[in-house]
Amino acid sequence: MTTTYTNLRDMDGQSIGIRCSSGVIEAIGAGITAPDAVDCEGRLVLPAFVEPHVHLDKTLWGEGWQPGQRAARLRDYIDNERRVLTANPTPPEERASRLLSEMLRYGTTAVRSHIDVAPDMGLSHVEAMLRLRESWRDKVDLQFVAFPQQGLLCRPGTTELIRQAIDMGVETVGGLDPAGIDGDPDGQLRFVFDLAVEKGAGVDIHLHDKGELGAWQIERIADYTEASGLAGKVMVSHAYCLGMIAPAKLERIGRRLADLRISLMTSAPADVAVPPVEQLTELGVTLCCGSDGIRDAWSPLGNGDMLERAFLTAYRFDWNTDADFRRALGCATDGAAKAIGLADYGLRAGARADFVMIEALNVGDALCRRPAGRRVVRRGAVVCG
């Protein structure tokens, strides 16, 4: 089936059309038309958004109000989450499906989600998210990370569960604060990278440890990436430490991350240092922004709109120029797609025809206003709006 969309505005303000055939962009640019073309009324067209870091199995979307809890330690938040989720009777895939509906409505068609794996829950969340993936396969691309939220080595039995999760079809091996949670950084990293090599999987490590301890762990992650041959398949999520170290050290680490194609994800939180996106991008590091938790036991904040997440990234750094806004948008589009390995992504001939049309003048206008009523195209067909 061939569908042509005309009277669109690209990011440079030029009027363009997009011809889609068999789910792929066949042609894009000025002068593209067809007798039965869809008039898009001058809307700004952007590549569909990519969510590179969310916890779908934890969301409480559609449930009763659940305030967050202030705590002094990461472990306290983890323990509170277990209490809340254990008491909730709604299946994880039902809660996650509600949230995915919102995310698709906002223009997201590709998602990487972490899935909790632990002895007290076994593989129940993995099974639920695999069911979710099957039911959503025609609407959203779902990638998964087997995530040891309660610790990897410090919780006996977790390593074998992670291994089983990868065998079940989870694409990425997750880690969590090798020093701060497990207290055995080399032990955790050795397991994570050895398993990833054995299974042909990727690696995505939550790193909350701050300052010099966190920076040392990033360098060890780089060591393991290089030794394992996994360049281009590793992400470090959060990496607060990179916003806390001296400029010379940041540049040295940044250049190594770029050389090994290790990507970084930030949710751009307001209460802690974050990786300096502009400097690291200039060094060649792939940066992306993610929602992390969305209305869960950690916090009731979040709405699944990646355009808002890009705005929050710009807001966090006090960006205000057109170049700044494009950089922020890139964290939710091209940067995020590259970080999670989407090869057929973008507004170009030959890419999959996933894009979003927004009633906005340009990228800055879209980011600052975040208009509702978006028209979302998935594999060439309108699925929302």
Side-chain angles (χ1 to χ4, degrees):
M1 178 179 177
T2 299
T3 305
T4 302
Y5 299 90
T6 60
N7 195 12
L8 289 162
R9 182 186 295 110
D10 69 10
M11 286 188 278
D12 295 319
Q14 303 300 309
S15 180
I16 64 167
I18 301 177
R19 184 166 63 248
C20 308
S21 180
S22 300
V24 172
I25 296 177
E26 186 177 87
I28 179 170
I32 294 174
T33 188
D36 57 351
V38 178
D39 184 354
C40 300
E41 302 172 331
R43 288 180 173 86
L44 175 71
V45 61
L46 302 174
F49 300 123
V50 176
E51 169 60 87
H53 185 115
V54 69
H55 295 264
L56 290 174
D57 64 321
K58 300 174 185 286
T59 189
L60 298 171
W61 197 271
E63 301 293 289
W65 177 253
Q66 176 66 50
Q69 179 192 63
R70 289 192 177 184
R73 303 178 306 153
L74 179 63
R75 177 65 67 183
D76 296 328
Y77 284 104
I78 295 170
D79 291 344
N80 180 63
E81 177 187 77
R82 296 308 310 132
R83 288 190 293 271
V84 171
L85 289 182
T86 299
N88 187 286
T90 307
E93 65 264 41
E94 183 176 331
R95 293 183 272 109
S97 187
R98 296 172 189 156
L99 179 54
L100 276 181
S101 294
E102 288 294 297
M103 297 171 76
L104 180 62
R105 182 171 67 85
Y106 283 125
T108 294
T109 61
V111 175
R112 173 181 281 187
S113 178
H114 299 257
I115 311 173
D116 278 11
V117 173
D120 65 337
M121 65 186 356
L123 296 166
S124 61
H125 280 207
V126 174
E127 293 164 348
M129 292 302 101
L130 291 177
R131 290 192 296 268
L132 179 78
R133 175 153 66 188
E134 181 59 27
S135 64
W136 277 80
R137 61 194 302 268
D138 293 330
K139 300 175 184 177
V140 175
D141 289 327
L142 287 170
Q143 291 184 12
F144 293 128
V145 181
F147 178 51
Q149 176 71 89
Q150 300 175 44
L152 183 63
L153 304 182
C154 64
R155 291 297 303 274
T158 303
T159 56
E160 182 54 32
L161 290 169
I162 295 285
R163 177 179 294 275
Q164 291 177 42
I166 300 300
D167 286 339
M168 292 167 66
V170 173
E171 298 91 344
T172 304
V173 182
L176 170 67
D177 293 331
I181 292 292
D182 268 348
D184 183 0
D186 278 303
Q188 183 185 128
L189 293 175
R190 188 179 307 112
F191 170 81
V192 166
F193 279 87
D194 284 352
L195 182 59
V197 170
E198 177 188 340
K199 301 296 185 181
V203 170
D204 193 329
I205 298 175
H206 281 60
L207 185 63
H208 308 92
D209 288 339
K210 300 180 176 68
E212 292 298 324
L213 177 61
W216 175 79
Q217 288 173 85
I218 286 185
E219 294 190 271
R220 293 300 287 141
I221 291 169
D223 292 340
Y224 277 90
T225 301
E226 185 171 13
S228 64
L230 288 178
K233 297 185 69 175
V234 176
M235 183 187 293
V236 181
S237 294
H238 302 304
Y240 305 138
C241 59
L242 293 180
M244 303 175 175
I245 58 178
K249 188 167 189 176
L250 175 69
E251 181 173 354
R252 175 170 58 80
I253 292 176
R255 291 191 184 283
R256 193 161 186 222
L257 294 176
D259 289 343
L260 292 169
R261 305 194 311 280
I262 298 172
S263 57
L264 300 173
M265 188 290 306
T266 182
S267 58
D271 64 331
V272 66
V274 296
V277 172
E278 184 172 358
Q279 293 93 314
L280 288 165
T281 300
E282 289 173 352
L283 291 171
V285 183
T286 298
L287 269 293
C288 58
C289 59
S291 298
D292 199 11
I294 298 176
R295 189 161 292 199
D296 57 19
W298 297 67
S299 169
L301 297 176
N303 64 1
D305 182 2
M306 286 305 296
L307 189 59
E308 180 167 288
R309 186 55 51 180
F311 160 77
L312 290 171
T313 303
Y315 188 83
R316 176 66 175 76
F317 290 103
D318 196 27
W319 290 343
N320 58 14
T321 70
D322 284 344
D324 290 335
F325 294 139
R326 286 208 184 194
R327 185 187 308 111
L329 178 70
C331 290
T333 54
D334 299 289
K338 185 176 180 181
I340 68 170
L342 300 182
D344 58 350
Y345 177 85
L347 289 179
R348 56 179 174 80
R352 199 170 65 188
D354 284 17
F355 47 91
V356 57
M357 296 174 272
I358 303 175
E359 292 183 0
L361 299 174
N362 51 38
V363 171
D365 183 39
L367 214 66
C368 294
R369 288 196 298 113
R370 302 175 301 288
R374 300 168 202 176
R375 189 174 296 176
V376 185
V377 173
R378 161 80 165 169
R379 295 179 180 170
V382 175
V383 292
C384 289

